[in-house]
Amino acid sequence: MDKPQASLPHVVIVGGGFGGLYAAKSLRNAPVKVTLIDKRNFHLFQPLLYQVATGSLSPADIASPLRVILSKQKNTQVLLDKVVDIDSKAKKVIVEDGEDISYDMLVIATGGSHHYFGNDQWENDAPGLKTVEDALEMRRRIFTAFEAAEKEPDPKKRQSLLTFVVVGGGPTGVELAGAIAEIAHKSVVEDFRDVDTTKARILLFEGMDRILPPYPEELSVKARQSLEKLGVEVKTKTLVTDISNKTVTFREGDKADTIPANTILWAAGVKASFMGRVLAESTGAELDRAGRVIVEPDLSIKGYPDIFVVGDLANFPHQGERPLPGVAPVAMQEGEYVAKLITRKCQGKTITPFRYFDLGSMAVVGQNKAVANLGFAQLSGFFAWFIWVMAHIYYLIEFDNKLVVMIQWAWNYMTLGRGARLITGKTAIYANTEVNNQENKLELVNN
Amino acid sequence: MDKPQASLPHVVIVGGGFGGLYAAKSLRNAPVKVTLIDKRNFHLFQPLLYQVATGSLSPADIASPLRVILSKQKNTQVLLDKVVDIDSKAKKVIVEDGEDISYDMLVIATGGSHHYFGNDQWENDAPGLKTVEDALEMRRRIFTAFEAAEKEPDPKKRQSLLTFVVVGGGPTGVELAGAIAEIAHKSVVEDFRDVDTTKARILLFEGMDRILPPYPEELSVKARQSLEKLGVEVKTKTLVTDISNKTVTFREGDKADTIPANTILWAAGVKASFMGRVLAESTGAELDRAGRVIVEPDLSIKGYPDIFVVGDLANFPHQGERPLPGVAPVAMQEGEYVAKLITRKCQGKTITPFRYFDLGSMAVVGQNKAVANLGFAQLSGFFAWFIWVMAHIYYLIEFDNKLVVMIQWAWNYMTLGRGARLITGKTAIYANTEVNNQENKLELVNN
């Protein structure tokens, strides 16, 4: 699609997550025309997705339409479409539903998805958490398990329904396990008549010798203690070897074991989106084992100074021992850096290589505790949680006025409530613990 | 499932809508054991469902888990299950996933669904609005239409994408048409670059000679004027004769016509749920043409003084010229009446026949206008809207503390915002205007 202001350089950004959105926002005063393409119509505040999965927030609380965020930014157009290929010779992106889009500069920020390390067949039994739909599916499974337990007369089956296994001891796994423990042991206890939800077992599996492995050891210990206090069984040095028939097979140190568990959630691995392969084919870009694109010091692709990769899809190996982690602050800073580079380039200037400024990392453990590694200080407990709340509200409010989230949090905090624990989705009209085939829709009368 | 307190009479209620929930709540102090069975885990505040469909509210804002509402009511158990049959001889209900449930008294409150008057093939092109999933599907279609229009170079196709037809001029149709007109002509205008959303056409079709036919004529006129001011084209005496290939064929008076419209919404008819047929087979109950059960003056089924039908599934012909309408106040009062009857029965007492006390009816027209028929007075405009807001907040808060809804409304009111306009659902990961087959989930990486 050619625009009237065709004389301005055209920057095409693919992906409206933290990397792409912050790149677009930082180009608001640049002498360029920006097109942001995403296959979803909203930006998702992924760090809070676990709260949607565990029934504390609604999807709209943590998502904002990209059009609304960029409504006032007149040099920017948002397109809902899926990029399926890149022609780096003709400088075009090819989309699924629409005309090819020419670019002068291209920013790829398409992120990643779950990684089952060659065991994709586990996905049905152990879904991961990346999209709104993933979160609603996790929510459906968690709350349906209690519903089924209420009706189950067989004690063994009942215990399996009350067993929750979270695979992966990073921030997402820690946050999920903590929240599920609070649901089972606090929020829903009074709501059931036949089942004692305090009998629920919540297990957190981590392959390394401690949870939150990139954090200082002190914080890993604190996080483990907090989780155990909530009733989570933390198993470290534990590797999952099979998931099938609602049973997890694992090796804990040298010992092999199995546990029947109706609800298994995957928080163990991330791989790059398919755009990595597209880029590799089109530009010869080098990919790492997780499919991420190894970028130059200025985040461009070797030999393609007009194509940039930011966020979870980028492997930036020029700082520290490992590539930068796939977290929101890295993506935001990378997006802003590329915008600055493009602005300078339009002025005929250059820029020093990208450097990540580490503001620290945080993970929530239960309703009002967290661990925070701020570099200069390690915090845990309520104070760390308070810093976490403030930081998240700051970023949430920056792109939309999410006052309601604050009020909802305050309300949930006071009441331990989980008002958003609706079991929804076409497969859950009548929510069996198995995914049913959709019935004839005309029969789906509320009952 | 036999309960320990087997000496108390067992009241089984099927359906947790307004009828079933209010019956259950009104039995809280009765000397009975209550089991409420629903295939959803939440009560849905259906009068606000159009606000979910039009992106003002999230599902969780207007739904509350039945367990939470009834948590403190110790004589009541909630079961998530689908009733598939009734054995009125053995006094049992048969559920899809669990053991048969014996009852002493049975209350059926399973409501209704859309009715296409023999044209069920229209449903795919013109979905109705009964469930949370229906509302999210409508939302997806409405907002995806604008997205597709932004990319459409052909002016004719673009106009079809910007044409919205609402079939049925009752309260739901009026509320949907008004909200869509506000979205197109106000909320989203600034958000698009290539498409002029003020060119959108919103048509409301009604078969009778005026919209809101059961209301006093004065209010129908006011409602029509308000809608037209918002930019809705109201067509009365207009019957739909075909819906296919995104085109509506209709007869307006004597004149036949067609209109290409990408988004067609059905608000024209309601039929009873399949439990009507189940009851008819099991008890010989008489059904009306819409499948509703014709009940006795005390809401029981002829010959079965222990089986009651309340809400949209009941045809109560003993008051006024027609049976009572399928609206929330009727269902609530019927549920409360049956609870009172059961309580009296336990005390060996009787009760006079049911009488509906009409508190009036209201419909919203746009952001801050409504029409209200209070019997003794007819109101329209802002004051009617204010009464509408107060009445709905009162009932919303009665069963859950939906403070957040009030704040969300205030926020939307001030900003004309539609923060909940997320396009979601597995078929909408990349939201084409057609429903795509689900892709390989592993490919569904955020882009």
Side-chain angles (χ1 to χ4, degrees), chain B residues 106-133:
Chain B
L106 180 63
V107 182
I108 305 290
T110 54
S113 70
H114 330 302
H115 191 10
Y116 291 85
F117 307 110
N119 295 291
D120 288 349
Q121 74 280 11
W122 296 352
E123 195 186 20
N124 263 338
D125 280 317
L129 185 65
K130 271 285 166 191
T131 66
V132 163
E133 286 75 14

PDB file of all heavy atoms in Angstrom, chain B residues 106-133:
ATOM      1  N   LEU B 106     -38.519 -30.295  42.264  1.00  0.00           N
ATOM      2  CA  LEU B 106     -37.635 -29.963  41.141  1.00  0.00           C
ATOM      3  C   LEU B 106     -38.051 -28.620  40.554  1.00  0.00           C
ATOM      4  O   LEU B 106     -39.234 -28.377  40.323  1.00  0.00           O
ATOM      5  CB  LEU B 106     -37.762 -31.072  40.085  1.00  0.00           C
ATOM      6  CG  LEU B 106     -36.931 -30.941  38.808  1.00  0.00           C
ATOM      7  CD1 LEU B 106     -35.436 -30.963  39.120  1.00  0.00           C
ATOM      8  CD2 LEU B 106     -37.277 -32.089  37.849  1.00  0.00           C
ATOM      9  N   VAL B 107     -37.062 -27.762  40.353  1.00  0.00           N
ATOM     10  CA  VAL B 107     -37.326 -26.459  39.726  1.00  0.00           C
ATOM     11  C   VAL B 107     -36.497 -26.378  38.440  1.00  0.00           C
ATOM     12  O   VAL B 107     -35.273 -26.508  38.488  1.00  0.00           O
ATOM     13  CB  VAL B 107     -36.933 -25.294  40.666  1.00  0.00           C
ATOM     14  CG1 VAL B 107     -37.257 -23.942  40.008  1.00  0.00           C
ATOM     15  CG2 VAL B 107     -37.625 -25.420  42.021  1.00  0.00           C
ATOM     16  N   ILE B 108     -37.182 -26.212  37.313  1.00  0.00           N
ATOM     17  CA  ILE B 108     -36.472 -26.140  36.031  1.00  0.00           C
ATOM     18  C   ILE B 108     -36.454 -24.680  35.587  1.00  0.00           C
ATOM     19  O   ILE B 108     -37.496 -24.042  35.440  1.00  0.00           O
ATOM     20  CB  ILE B 108     -37.167 -27.008  34.958  1.00  0.00           C
ATOM     21  CG1 ILE B 108     -37.326 -28.446  35.448  1.00  0.00           C
ATOM     22  CG2 ILE B 108     -36.384 -26.960  33.644  1.00  0.00           C
ATOM     23  CD1 ILE B 108     -36.052 -29.226  35.555  1.00  0.00           C
ATOM     24  N   ALA B 109     -35.240 -24.176  35.353  1.00  0.00           N
ATOM     25  CA  ALA B 109     -35.080 -22.756  35.014  1.00  0.00           C
ATOM     26  C   ALA B 109     -33.969 -22.633  33.980  1.00  0.00           C
ATOM     27  O   ALA B 109     -32.980 -21.953  34.190  1.00  0.00           O
ATOM     28  CB  ALA B 109     -34.736 -21.963  36.277  1.00  0.00           C
ATOM     29  N   THR B 110     -34.146 -23.314  32.854  1.00  0.00           N
ATOM     30  CA  THR B 110     -33.048 -23.400  31.887  1.00  0.00           C
ATOM     31  C   THR B 110     -33.152 -22.404  30.740  1.00  0.00           C
ATOM     32  O   THR B 110     -32.326 -22.422  29.834  1.00  0.00           O
ATOM     33  CB  THR B 110     -32.953 -24.834  31.317  1.00  0.00           C
ATOM     34  OG1 THR B 110     -34.238 -25.197  30.799  1.00  0.00           O
ATOM     35  CG2 THR B 110     -32.559 -25.820  32.381  1.00  0.00           C
ATOM     36  N   GLY B 111     -34.149 -21.526  30.769  1.00  0.00           N
ATOM     37  CA  GLY B 111     -34.174 -20.396  29.839  1.00  0.00           C
ATOM     38  C   GLY B 111     -34.378 -20.744  28.380  1.00  0.00           C
ATOM     39  O   GLY B 111     -35.031 -21.736  28.041  1.00  0.00           O
ATOM     40  N   GLY B 112     -33.827 -19.919  27.516  1.00  0.00           N
ATOM     41  CA  GLY B 112     -34.045 -20.082  26.086  1.00  0.00           C
ATOM     42  C   GLY B 112     -32.809 -19.762  25.283  1.00  0.00           C
ATOM     43  O   GLY B 112     -31.758 -19.441  25.821  1.00  0.00           O
ATOM     44  N   SER B 113     -32.940 -19.901  23.977  1.00  0.00           N
ATOM     45  CA  SER B 113     -31.839 -19.541  23.075  1.00  0.00           C
ATOM     46  C   SER B 113     -32.433 -18.830  21.850  1.00  0.00           C
ATOM     47  O   SER B 113     -33.633 -18.583  21.788  1.00  0.00           O
ATOM     48  CB  SER B 113     -31.066 -20.779  22.655  1.00  0.00           C
ATOM     49  OG  SER B 113     -31.863 -21.569  21.803  1.00  0.00           O
ATOM     50  N   HIS B 114     -31.588 -18.497  20.891  1.00  0.00           N
ATOM     51  CA  HIS B 114     -32.064 -17.786  19.698  1.00  0.00           C
ATOM     52  C   HIS B 114     -33.054 -18.625  18.912  1.00  0.00           C
ATOM     53  O   HIS B 114     -32.969 -19.833  18.878  1.00  0.00           O
ATOM     54  CB  HIS B 114     -30.911 -17.459  18.752  1.00  0.00           C
ATOM     55  CG  HIS B 114     -29.640 -17.254  19.466  1.00  0.00           C
ATOM     56  ND1 HIS B 114     -29.493 -16.305  20.430  1.00  0.00           N
ATOM     57  CD2 HIS B 114     -28.457 -17.909  19.401  1.00  0.00           C
ATOM     58  CE1 HIS B 114     -28.266 -16.362  20.906  1.00  0.00           C
ATOM     59  NE2 HIS B 114     -27.628 -17.336  20.306  1.00  0.00           N
ATOM     60  N   HIS B 115     -33.922 -17.939  18.203  1.00  0.00           N
ATOM     61  CA  HIS B 115     -34.926 -18.625  17.407  1.00  0.00           C
ATOM     62  C   HIS B 115     -34.895 -18.004  16.017  1.00  0.00           C
ATOM     63  O   HIS B 115     -35.078 -16.795  15.871  1.00  0.00           O
ATOM     64  CB  HIS B 115     -36.299 -18.411  18.057  1.00  0.00           C
ATOM     65  CG  HIS B 115     -37.381 -19.266  17.490  1.00  0.00           C
ATOM     66  ND1 HIS B 115     -37.125 -20.298  16.609  1.00  0.00           N
ATOM     67  CD2 HIS B 115     -38.724 -19.261  17.674  1.00  0.00           C
ATOM     68  CE1 HIS B 115     -38.270 -20.873  16.296  1.00  0.00           C
ATOM     69  NE2 HIS B 115     -39.249 -20.265  16.927  1.00  0.00           N
ATOM     70  N   TYR B 116     -34.617 -18.813  15.011  1.00  0.00           N
ATOM     71  CA  TYR B 116     -34.538 -18.301  13.643  1.00  0.00           C
ATOM     72  C   TYR B 116     -35.787 -18.639  12.834  1.00  0.00           C
ATOM     73  O   TYR B 116     -35.764 -18.593  11.615  1.00  0.00           O
ATOM     74  CB  TYR B 116     -33.263 -18.822  12.959  1.00  0.00           C
ATOM     75  CG  TYR B 116     -32.012 -18.217  13.549  1.00  0.00           C
ATOM     76  CD1 TYR B 116     -31.411 -18.768  14.677  1.00  0.00           C
ATOM     77  CD2 TYR B 116     -31.444 -17.071  13.009  1.00  0.00           C
ATOM     78  CE1 TYR B 116     -30.283 -18.193  15.241  1.00  0.00           C
ATOM     79  CE2 TYR B 116     -30.323 -16.495  13.563  1.00  0.00           C
ATOM     80  CZ  TYR B 116     -29.742 -17.064  14.679  1.00  0.00           C
ATOM     81  OH  TYR B 116     -28.633 -16.482  15.231  1.00  0.00           O
ATOM     82  N   PHE B 117     -36.847 -19.009  13.503  1.00  0.00           N
ATOM     83  CA  PHE B 117     -38.130 -19.273  12.851  1.00  0.00           C
ATOM     84  C   PHE B 117     -37.979 -20.211  11.660  1.00  0.00           C
ATOM     85  O   PHE B 117     -38.413 -19.897  10.547  1.00  0.00           O
ATOM     86  CB  PHE B 117     -38.774 -17.948  12.402  1.00  0.00           C
ATOM     87  CG  PHE B 117     -38.873 -16.937  13.518  1.00  0.00           C
ATOM     88  CD1 PHE B 117     -38.088 -15.800  13.517  1.00  0.00           C
ATOM     89  CD2 PHE B 117     -39.735 -17.147  14.592  1.00  0.00           C
ATOM     90  CE1 PHE B 117     -38.167 -14.877  14.554  1.00  0.00           C
ATOM     91  CE2 PHE B 117     -39.815 -16.228  15.628  1.00  0.00           C
ATOM     92  CZ  PHE B 117     -39.029 -15.092  15.601  1.00  0.00           C
ATOM     93  N   GLY B 118     -37.324 -21.324  11.889  1.00  0.00           N
ATOM     94  CA  GLY B 118     -37.191 -22.309  10.819  1.00  0.00           C
ATOM     95  C   GLY B 118     -36.040 -22.046   9.873  1.00  0.00           C
ATOM     96  O   GLY B 118     -35.869 -22.757   8.886  1.00  0.00           O
ATOM     97  N   ASN B 119     -35.237 -21.011  10.140  1.00  0.00           N
ATOM     98  CA  ASN B 119     -34.113 -20.715   9.247  1.00  0.00           C
ATOM     99  C   ASN B 119     -32.781 -20.831   9.997  1.00  0.00           C
ATOM    100  O   ASN B 119     -31.984 -19.893  10.015  1.00  0.00           O
ATOM    101  CB  ASN B 119     -34.267 -19.298   8.668  1.00  0.00           C
ATOM    102  CG  ASN B 119     -35.477 -19.186   7.771  1.00  0.00           C
ATOM    103  OD1 ASN B 119     -35.506 -19.767   6.689  1.00  0.00           O
ATOM    104  ND2 ASN B 119     -36.492 -18.473   8.232  1.00  0.00           N
ATOM    105  N   ASP B 120     -32.584 -21.989  10.604  1.00  0.00           N
ATOM    106  CA  ASP B 120     -31.379 -22.155  11.425  1.00  0.00           C
ATOM    107  C   ASP B 120     -30.096 -21.955  10.624  1.00  0.00           C
ATOM    108  O   ASP B 120     -29.046 -21.665  11.181  1.00  0.00           O
ATOM    109  CB  ASP B 120     -31.375 -23.540  12.081  1.00  0.00           C
ATOM    110  CG  ASP B 120     -32.414 -23.623  13.191  1.00  0.00           C
ATOM    111  OD1 ASP B 120     -32.969 -22.564  13.574  1.00  0.00           O
ATOM    112  OD2 ASP B 120     -32.668 -24.742  13.666  1.00  0.00           O
ATOM    113  N   GLN B 121     -30.186 -22.097   9.294  1.00  0.00           N
ATOM    114  CA  GLN B 121     -28.995 -21.890   8.458  1.00  0.00           C
ATOM    115  C   GLN B 121     -28.512 -20.438   8.489  1.00  0.00           C
ATOM    116  O   GLN B 121     -27.409 -20.136   8.067  1.00  0.00           O
ATOM    117  CB  GLN B 121     -29.250 -22.369   7.019  1.00  0.00           C
ATOM    118  CG  GLN B 121     -30.143 -21.476   6.174  1.00  0.00           C
ATOM    119  CD  GLN B 121     -31.646 -21.669   6.444  1.00  0.00           C
ATOM    120  OE1 GLN B 121     -32.036 -22.337   7.403  1.00  0.00           O
ATOM    121  NE2 GLN B 121     -32.486 -21.087   5.608  1.00  0.00           N
ATOM    122  N   TRP B 122     -29.340 -19.524   9.015  1.00  0.00           N
ATOM    123  CA  TRP B 122     -28.916 -18.124   9.118  1.00  0.00           C
ATOM    124  C   TRP B 122     -27.955 -17.896  10.281  1.00  0.00           C
ATOM    125  O   TRP B 122     -27.338 -16.841  10.383  1.00  0.00           O
ATOM    126  CB  TRP B 122     -30.127 -17.194   9.310  1.00  0.00           C
ATOM    127  CG  TRP B 122     -31.076 -17.164   8.163  1.00  0.00           C
ATOM    128  CD1 TRP B 122     -30.899 -17.743   6.934  1.00  0.00           C
ATOM    129  CD2 TRP B 122     -32.364 -16.521   8.119  1.00  0.00           C
ATOM    130  NE1 TRP B 122     -31.982 -17.511   6.132  1.00  0.00           N
ATOM    131  CE2 TRP B 122     -32.898 -16.764   6.834  1.00  0.00           C
ATOM    132  CE3 TRP B 122     -33.105 -15.781   9.028  1.00  0.00           C
ATOM    133  CZ2 TRP B 122     -34.150 -16.286   6.449  1.00  0.00           C
ATOM    134  CZ3 TRP B 122     -34.346 -15.292   8.652  1.00  0.00           C
ATOM    135  CH2 TRP B 122     -34.874 -15.546   7.373  1.00  0.00           C
ATOM    136  N   GLU B 123     -27.862 -18.860  11.179  1.00  0.00           N
ATOM    137  CA  GLU B 123     -27.153 -18.576  12.427  1.00  0.00           C
ATOM    138  C   GLU B 123     -25.688 -18.211  12.220  1.00  0.00           C
ATOM    139  O   GLU B 123     -25.166 -17.318  12.881  1.00  0.00           O
ATOM    140  CB  GLU B 123     -27.260 -19.753  13.398  1.00  0.00           C
ATOM    141  CG  GLU B 123     -26.838 -19.300  14.790  1.00  0.00           C
ATOM    142  CD  GLU B 123     -26.764 -20.402  15.811  1.00  0.00           C
ATOM    143  OE1 GLU B 123     -26.663 -21.581  15.433  1.00  0.00           O
ATOM    144  OE2 GLU B 123     -26.774 -20.068  16.996  1.00  0.00           O
ATOM    145  N   ASN B 124     -25.003 -18.911  11.296  1.00  0.00           N
ATOM    146  CA  ASN B 124     -23.597 -18.596  11.061  1.00  0.00           C
ATOM    147  C   ASN B 124     -23.398 -17.161  10.594  1.00  0.00           C
ATOM    148  O   ASN B 124     -22.456 -16.491  10.996  1.00  0.00           O
ATOM    149  CB  ASN B 124     -22.999 -19.541  10.017  1.00  0.00           C
ATOM    150  CG  ASN B 124     -22.271 -20.692  10.662  1.00  0.00           C
ATOM    151  OD1 ASN B 124     -21.867 -20.585  11.825  1.00  0.00           O
ATOM    152  ND2 ASN B 124     -22.120 -21.779   9.937  1.00  0.00           N
ATOM    153  N   ASP B 125     -24.309 -16.698   9.719  1.00  0.00           N
ATOM    154  CA  ASP B 125     -24.183 -15.341   9.194  1.00  0.00           C
ATOM    155  C   ASP B 125     -24.705 -14.284  10.156  1.00  0.00           C
ATOM    156  O   ASP B 125     -24.287 -13.129  10.094  1.00  0.00           O
ATOM    157  CB  ASP B 125     -24.947 -15.226   7.857  1.00  0.00           C
ATOM    158  CG  ASP B 125     -24.147 -15.783   6.700  1.00  0.00           C
ATOM    159  OD1 ASP B 125     -22.950 -15.506   6.643  1.00  0.00           O
ATOM    160  OD2 ASP B 125     -24.719 -16.496   5.864  1.00  0.00           O
ATOM    161  N   ALA B 126     -25.646 -14.681  11.012  1.00  0.00           N
ATOM    162  CA  ALA B 126     -26.298 -13.699  11.879  1.00  0.00           C
ATOM    163  C   ALA B 126     -26.422 -14.270  13.290  1.00  0.00           C
ATOM    164  O   ALA B 126     -27.490 -14.709  13.706  1.00  0.00           O
ATOM    165  CB  ALA B 126     -27.674 -13.350  11.324  1.00  0.00           C
ATOM    166  N   PRO B 127     -25.321 -14.251  14.053  1.00  0.00           N
ATOM    167  CA  PRO B 127     -25.359 -14.860  15.385  1.00  0.00           C
ATOM    168  C   PRO B 127     -26.242 -14.059  16.345  1.00  0.00           C
ATOM    169  O   PRO B 127     -26.430 -12.861  16.182  1.00  0.00           O
ATOM    170  CB  PRO B 127     -23.903 -14.820  15.826  1.00  0.00           C
ATOM    171  CG  PRO B 127     -23.297 -13.689  15.065  1.00  0.00           C
ATOM    172  CD  PRO B 127     -24.021 -13.668  13.745  1.00  0.00           C
ATOM    173  N   GLY B 128     -26.750 -14.752  17.351  1.00  0.00           N
ATOM    174  CA  GLY B 128     -27.563 -14.117  18.391  1.00  0.00           C
ATOM    175  C   GLY B 128     -26.761 -13.889  19.658  1.00  0.00           C
ATOM    176  O   GLY B 128     -25.554 -14.150  19.699  1.00  0.00           O
ATOM    177  N   LEU B 129     -27.439 -13.409  20.694  1.00  0.00           N
ATOM    178  CA  LEU B 129     -26.736 -12.958  21.900  1.00  0.00           C
ATOM    179  C   LEU B 129     -27.377 -13.568  23.138  1.00  0.00           C
ATOM    180  O   LEU B 129     -28.333 -13.015  23.690  1.00  0.00           O
ATOM    181  CB  LEU B 129     -26.800 -11.423  21.977  1.00  0.00           C
ATOM    182  CG  LEU B 129     -26.025 -10.732  23.103  1.00  0.00           C
ATOM    183  CD1 LEU B 129     -24.531 -10.939  22.933  1.00  0.00           C
ATOM    184  CD2 LEU B 129     -26.329  -9.241  23.137  1.00  0.00           C
ATOM    185  N   LYS B 130     -26.846 -14.718  23.566  1.00  0.00           N
ATOM    186  CA  LYS B 130     -27.380 -15.323  24.785  1.00  0.00           C
ATOM    187  C   LYS B 130     -26.279 -15.647  25.786  1.00  0.00           C
ATOM    188  O   LYS B 130     -26.477 -15.553  26.983  1.00  0.00           O
ATOM    189  CB  LYS B 130     -28.146 -16.622  24.438  1.00  0.00           C
ATOM    190  CG  LYS B 130     -29.609 -16.400  24.125  1.00  0.00           C
ATOM    191  CD  LYS B 130     -30.427 -16.139  25.385  1.00  0.00           C
ATOM    192  CE  LYS B 130     -31.814 -15.595  25.057  1.00  0.00           C
ATOM    193  NZ  LYS B 130     -32.499 -15.107  26.273  1.00  0.00           N
ATOM    194  N   THR B 131     -25.102 -16.059  25.282  1.00  0.00           N
ATOM    195  CA  THR B 131     -24.038 -16.497  26.173  1.00  0.00           C
ATOM    196  C   THR B 131     -22.829 -15.559  26.085  1.00  0.00           C
ATOM    197  O   THR B 131     -22.742 -14.720  25.189  1.00  0.00           O
ATOM    198  CB  THR B 131     -23.562 -17.909  25.781  1.00  0.00           C
ATOM    199  OG1 THR B 131     -22.935 -17.831  24.491  1.00  0.00           O
ATOM    200  CG2 THR B 131     -24.709 -18.893  25.704  1.00  0.00           C
ATOM    201  N   VAL B 132     -21.914 -15.738  27.012  1.00  0.00           N
ATOM    202  CA  VAL B 132     -20.652 -14.995  26.982  1.00  0.00           C
ATOM    203  C   VAL B 132     -19.937 -15.236  25.655  1.00  0.00           C
ATOM    204  O   VAL B 132     -19.393 -14.306  25.049  1.00  0.00           O
ATOM    205  CB  VAL B 132     -19.759 -15.439  28.161  1.00  0.00           C
ATOM    206  CG1 VAL B 132     -18.319 -15.030  27.934  1.00  0.00           C
ATOM    207  CG2 VAL B 132     -20.270 -14.840  29.460  1.00  0.00           C
ATOM    208  N   GLU B 133     -19.950 -16.467  25.193  1.00  0.00           N
ATOM    209  CA  GLU B 133     -19.279 -16.782  23.929  1.00  0.00           C
ATOM    210  C   GLU B 133     -19.955 -16.068  22.763  1.00  0.00           C
ATOM    211  O   GLU B 133     -19.283 -15.589  21.847  1.00  0.00           O
ATOM    212  CB  GLU B 133     -19.262 -18.302  23.691  1.00  0.00           C
ATOM    213  CG  GLU B 133     -18.278 -19.074  24.562  1.00  0.00           C
ATOM    214  CD  GLU B 133     -18.731 -19.237  26.002  1.00  0.00           C
ATOM    215  OE1 GLU B 133     -19.929 -18.981  26.284  1.00  0.00           O
ATOM    216  OE2 GLU B 133     -17.917 -19.608  26.860  1.00  0.00           O
TER     217      GLU B 133
END
